[in-house]
Amino acid sequence: MTGAAQFEGNGTGAGSARLPRPWWIYRGTGLPLHDIELADVLPGAPPWRTFTGSSASADGDGTGGAQAPVEPPAPPQDEAELRRRLGATREGMVADPTEVDLVNAALILRRPLLVTGRPGTGKSSLAYRISRELGLGRVLRWPVTSRTTLSSGLYRYDAVGRIHAAATSDSGATAPADAPSGAGDAPSSDIGAFLELGPLGTALLPHALPRVLLVDEFDKSDMDLPNDLLDVFEAGEFTIPELARLRGHRPVVEVRSDDPDRTVLIRDGRVRCREFPLVVVTSNDEREFPPAFLRRCLHLHVREPERDRLADIVAAHLGSRDDDPRVAELIRLFAERSAQENGLATDQLLNSIWLATSGAYSRGADWEALLRAVWHRLDGVREP
């Protein structure tokens, strides 16, 4: 892959990984930083990545001061989701220094981080680890499919629902969906009630600290989506036409965000960020991306974790099992099998260890056949 700064993580915890480098803000442990505040140590953005977003209510005229905190801090990440994604991250978890270098570079340069690698190597979990360590709150997740469009990531507008609400309103409001009404819309047809920001749109709100946005499985996208994202990534803002058409008589509209139970005020139909979000774009390396898209990203390629890293992952999810010889043997066999099969997913290892140690399965003569089924190849090719 060309056109982006590229580095490879080896998935191990060797060497200098054990000592944080002086310039690191993110240290790669996944443990919350209690000794620093991100706002105090995050350097200013490069001039070409500086944005001036502000809220509709930051001051009297809605322009907002450049230094004014605009949106409240992100809501906390659900703890059950964190445990599912990361397990119980322990003291002493060793970070891959190349990975940590790239995360810090993306944070300082305000650039998206394109994370490639085979399925099951922890690409998506990286976004949750960053957010937990830096105290950036709930991760905004944008799952991508072949039907995903840029507009679906920015916002969703239920025009049909609004027209229906207007037609059935007891107040008699029958105006077309986007027609100005000098006295304002009836509550049942209020455009803000039918418009919701998507994960990308919410990430671009003017937050005092960057939000973490996970753009998951980007290689499944339609061919046009990478190019469609270019302007948004460069400008750090977008316009909602349905609201922009109303700005003459209703400059500020309250809409829902992608965060549960949160609404935001949008002025003149424009959303403009203050701190560019930390965007983690994951890809299973199933396609190439346009050079123009790659130029705007930093690129981290994650290789399959080696044995020491696998042991850390098992301990995080299942607890320390150093005294169980079955666990050590399964990790060894899994590493060998993964190398033979051109890569397996770490959750396949976790599944096998749970079967072997939870007491739910009575190990018998068919164990080897069951293990082969759990550690099946990921390329769909059947074994002879």
Side-chain angles (χ1 to χ4, degrees):
M1 185 173 291
T2 60
Q6 299 182 47
F7 298 82
E8 288 202 356
N10 61 12
T12 72
S16 61
R18 296 185 181 277
L19 295 176
R21 295 175 178 173
W23 70 286
W24 283 357
I25 301 171
Y26 169 73
R27 302 169 188 175
T29 65
L31 298 172
L33 295 178
H34 298 298
D35 55 337
I36 64 171
E37 293 290 338
L38 181 60
D40 296 334
V41 298
L42 180 63
W48 55 91
R49 299 297 292 164
T50 299
F51 304 98
T52 59
S54 58
S55 72
S57 57
D59 58 29
D61 63 4
T63 59
Q67 302 303 315
V70 183
E71 293 295 329
Q77 182 67 49
D78 179 69
E79 286 298 322
E81 176 72 2
L82 280 178
R83 286 194 297 271
R84 186 176 69 83
R85 293 276 184 173
L86 303 178
T89 303
R90 304 172 300 132
E91 293 285 353
M93 175 77 76
V94 178
D96 172 12
T98 302
E99 176 185 290
V100 182
D101 278 344
L102 263 292
V103 171
N104 281 285
L107 183 66
I108 292 170
L109 296 173
R110 274 67 166 183
R111 286 293 184 184
L113 180 62
L114 175 62
V115 185
T116 60
R118 292 191 176 274
T121 52
K123 301 184 298 296
S124 300
S125 297
L126 177 61
Y128 293 86
R129 197 158 60 248
I130 295 169
S131 186
R132 177 162 69 176
E133 181 171 324
L134 299 183
L136 294 176
R138 177 176 177 267
V139 173
L140 297 160
R141 180 173 176 265
W142 185 18
V144 174
T145 71
S146 61
R147 298 179 297 278
T148 299
T149 62
L150 174 61
S151 60
S152 68
L154 295 174
Y155 72 98
R156 297 175 287 275
Y157 175 48
D158 183 8
V160 174
R162 186 178 177 221
I163 293 173
H164 178 75
T168 58
S169 173
D170 292 339
S171 66
T174 57
D178 295 315
S181 56
D185 295 319
S188 62
S189 60
D190 185 343
I191 189 171
F194 298 91
L195 198 148
E196 180 178 352
L197 297 181
L200 174 57
T202 302
L204 291 172
L205 287 168
H207 292 95
L209 292 173
R211 291 295 300 268
V212 177
L213 171 67
L214 171 61
V215 185
D216 215 6
E217 300 197 341
F218 195 58
D219 46 344
K220 290 183 169 59
S221 69
D222 178 85
M223 295 299 293
D224 292 331
L225 185 57
N227 286 321
D228 291 343
L229 275 171
L230 297 182
D231 185 61
V232 173
F233 279 173
E234 285 300 295
E237 64 178 73
F238 67 98
T239 297
I240 302 174
E242 293 83 356
L243 300 185
R245 288 196 289 269
L246 302 177
R247 64 182 180 266
H249 80 285
R250 191 174 177 189
V252 179
V253 177
E254 183 178 10
V255 306
R256 292 170 292 164
S257 75
D258 191 65
D259 290 321
D261 304 319
R262 283 204 177 185
T263 61
V264 296
L265 300 178
I266 306 298
R267 173 173 286 275
D268 296 333
R270 176 176 291 181
V271 175
R272 179 183 296 168
C273 76
R274 181 171 183 257
E275 281 288 352
F276 191 78
L278 183 58
V279 183
V280 177
V281 183
T282 70
S283 167
N284 292 328
D285 258 348
E286 295 177 359
R287 61 177 279 195
E288 293 288 328
F289 297 113
F293 176 81
L294 295 176
R295 182 174 67 84
R296 290 162 171 83
C297 300
L298 300 179
H299 177 205
L300 169 67
H301 183 75
V302 180
R303 295 185 299 197
E304 287 76 19
E306 296 182 0
R307 198 179 302 179
D308 288 346
R309 183 63 176 175
L310 289 172
D312 275 344
I313 293 171
V314 170
H317 285 274
L318 300 177
S320 178
R321 304 197 175 194
D322 295 338
D323 57 345
D324 192 332
R326 295 172 298 176
V327 173
E329 178 66 4
L330 282 171
I331 291 174
R332 182 188 69 80
L333 292 173
F334 179 85
E336 294 174 357
R337 179 67 176 267
S338 182
Q340 295 170 0
E341 302 294 357
N342 204 20
L344 298 176
T346 53
D347 61 339
Q348 293 174 289
L349 172 61
L350 295 174
N351 289 336
S352 63
I353 292 176
W354 183 257
L355 279 175
T357 63
S358 67
Y361 168 76
S362 298
R363 186 165 174 171
D366 58 347
W367 171 248
E368 295 299 328
L370 180 59
L371 197 58
R372 286 195 298 271
V374 173
W375 292 352
H376 62 84
R377 298 180 62 167
L378 301 180
D379 56 11
V381 178
R382 290 180 177 269
E383 293 188 352

